[in-house]
Amino acid sequence: MLDLKLIRQEPDFIKEKLATRGVDPQDIDDLLGLDAKRRELIVKSETMKAQRNTVSDEISQLKRHKENADDKITEMRQVSADIKDIDAQLDTLKEKVHDAAAHLPNIPNDNVPVGLTEDGSVEIRQWGEKPNLDFTPKAHYELGEDLGILDFEAGAKVSGSRYLYYLGLGARLERAVYNFFLDENTKAGFTEVLPPYIVNDDSMYGTGQFPKFKEDVYQLKDEPMTLIPTAEVPLVNYYRDEVIPEEKLPVWFTALTPAFRSEAGSAGRDTRGLIRLHQFNKVEMVKFCKPENSWDELEALTKHAESLLQKLGLAYHVITLTTSDMSFTAAMTHDLEVWFPEQNTYREISSCSNTTDFQARRAHIQYRDENGKLQYVHALNGSGLAVGRAVAAILENYQNADGSVTIPDVLVPYMGGVTKITK
């Protein structure tokens, strides 16, 4: 949520910055118009209430002196009715202002590349050697099916498209990957959390999924509850409506959870394999910090996510997303994209974002500064990492000519000593 006071004070700045995210400047004017009407009615209501209090005292004086107060009583009845009507208008306007503001995305940082599409993202760096395979590489889903460790057909039968079963060493590899991620994250100082997988509407609003993106999630019928699309939601909302003691900052959380996404609007994209599923595992990282530290925390978060890929020996690059391609809540996003030999391209495996005070303002997460004044924290989030995509990348990058897959060295202890998956 943007600071409404800032929108009032610098409307041209807000229009210019949000235009780079596809927001029509008229939306800002409409919001300010509603806000001006609301503030006008607040003044009118308060003036009439003050008048009513003054006249009520006069009526009391008249009655005390046995004088006729009928005219003033009639007048105040009308004033009270007018106040009631204005207050009802204020309630409606308050909802309209809040709804209009809730649909505005975060202000992009000045260093974010401007673009109304994903084209124009800027590569920051590359790492690792892409595998030099002397045979035609197979797609991860072909490898998984040939090795008997991924069963998409059974998943489709039981649940529908974009679901699957992991079998045998496939299931163990998935478990090895997320345990490795969690262990590395906790070694780096993150506190491991096991959060709820179903959250209420306030939680979805707090992290920015509601009200704008309801079509992207799975909701419980006849209940205001949602299956989480990412662990970011329960992790950020842990401190909703709270004041974090200053001495506790920064707070770093990590969690493994399933993520449930309807993938609305993705018809025809990545219909096979582990890249775009309705249910998948993801290890998430969330940070809360003071505003002056958040950009350093973003770089540290990104570097830590990179270290996971480096230890797995997977080539990747880091890009900064354009203004319109990053998430609704982000002021800046660095994407990690890992190399997929069969597709001969990089694919996203982590997004690390600084949401500045945007989520904290929506979820009312604050701290007291050294002067005792309440301030909003800055919240950051990043995948550390998407587990299924990591498994897919391992299968493709570590495949052998005979169809077997070598296990990365760091995962062998998690695999009980298994060094290769064979038919």
Side-chain angles (χ1 to χ4, degrees), residues 384-396:
L385 303 164
V387 180
R389 293 191 178 199
V391 169
I394 289 167
L395 293 177
E396 289 204 13

Side-chain angles (χ1 to χ4, degrees), residues 53-113:
N53 290 339
T54 299
V55 176
S56 293
D57 289 341
E58 293 174 0
I59 291 172
S60 295
Q61 290 287 345
L62 289 171
K63 287 184 175 180
R64 192 174 296 115
H65 293 91
K66 309 296 183 184
E67 297 180 32
N68 190 304
D70 290 351
D71 289 347
K72 290 185 178 295
I73 290 172
T74 299
E75 178 187 354
M76 285 307 99
R77 283 175 179 163
Q78 184 58 51
V79 169
S80 292
D82 291 343
I83 290 172
K84 185 176 181 181
D85 179 62
I86 291 173
D87 286 348
Q89 293 180 57
L90 279 171
D91 287 341
T92 300
L93 278 171
K94 182 180 179 180
E95 289 182 9
K96 288 182 177 180
V97 168
H98 186 274
D99 185 63
H103 281 78
L104 296 178
N106 202 356
I107 299 169
N109 180 274
D110 289 342
N111 293 320
V112 174

